[in-house]
């Protein structure tokens, strides 16, 4: 979980390492897809999806929440590219579907 103290003057986490990890993983998956290795591409993306989704529910700051959302969005866009570009086995599609099930439990917006 996010252990950032719930104060307005708390340190802000650096976005660059998360962005670099996500961009590199998505680039590798994209290249694997172009090479016709769809199952391997999906296997690269699943942990990224999981990281993005795990960061979000416990985020105590907007920056950390946005990091999780950006990782998830970037990874899902890449998964779409992989599925559109190359053949992905039913087993890999099932692994991807399991990783996508459930989504992120978020509290309803204020006022709802």
């Amino acid at each position: 979980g996010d252990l950032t103290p719930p104060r307005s003057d708390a340190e802000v986490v650096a976005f660059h390492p998360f962005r670099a990890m996500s961009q590199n993983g998505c680039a590798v998956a994209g290249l694997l897809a172009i090479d016709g290795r769809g199952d391997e591409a999906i296997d690269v993306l699943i942990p990224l999806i999981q990281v993005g989704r795990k960061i979000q529910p416990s985020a105590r700051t907007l920056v950390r929440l946005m990091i999780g959302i950006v990782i998830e969005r970037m990874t899902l866009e890449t998964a779409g590219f992989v599925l559109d570009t190359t053949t992905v086995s039913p087993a890999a599609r099932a692994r991807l579907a399991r990783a996508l099930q459930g989504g992120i439990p978020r509290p309803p917006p204020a006022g709802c």
Side-chain angles (χ1 to χ4, degrees):
D2 185 356
L3 300 178
T4 304
R7 300 185 329 251
S8 61
D9 63 342
E11 288 186 30
V12 176
V13 68
F15 181 64
H16 179 73
F18 291 99
R19 183 179 58 208
M21 173 200 64
S22 303
Q23 287 174 336
N24 289 339
C26 289
V28 167
L31 291 172
L32 287 168
I34 290 169
D35 284 344
R37 297 161 55 190
D39 287 7
E40 293 174 59
I42 294 298
D43 288 339
V44 168
L45 294 175
I46 289 173
L48 290 174
I49 292 169
Q50 292 169 335
V51 166
R53 287 188 161 191
K54 287 178 183 177
I55 290 172
Q56 294 175 52
S58 64
R60 288 188 177 174
T61 65
L62 180 60
V63 172
R64 290 177 192 227
L65 175 63
M66 291 307 298
I67 288 170
I69 290 170
V70 168
I71 291 171
E72 183 179 3
R73 180 192 54 83
M74 187 183 316
T75 308
L76 291 174
E77 287 175 359
T78 305
F81 173 80
V82 170
L83 294 170
D84 290 343
T85 303
T86 190
T87 303
V88 177
S89 73
R93 286 176 182 266
R95 288 193 304 275
L96 178 61
R98 279 193 304 275
L100 297 175
Q101 282 179 340
I104 298 299
R106 294 188 181 118
C112 289

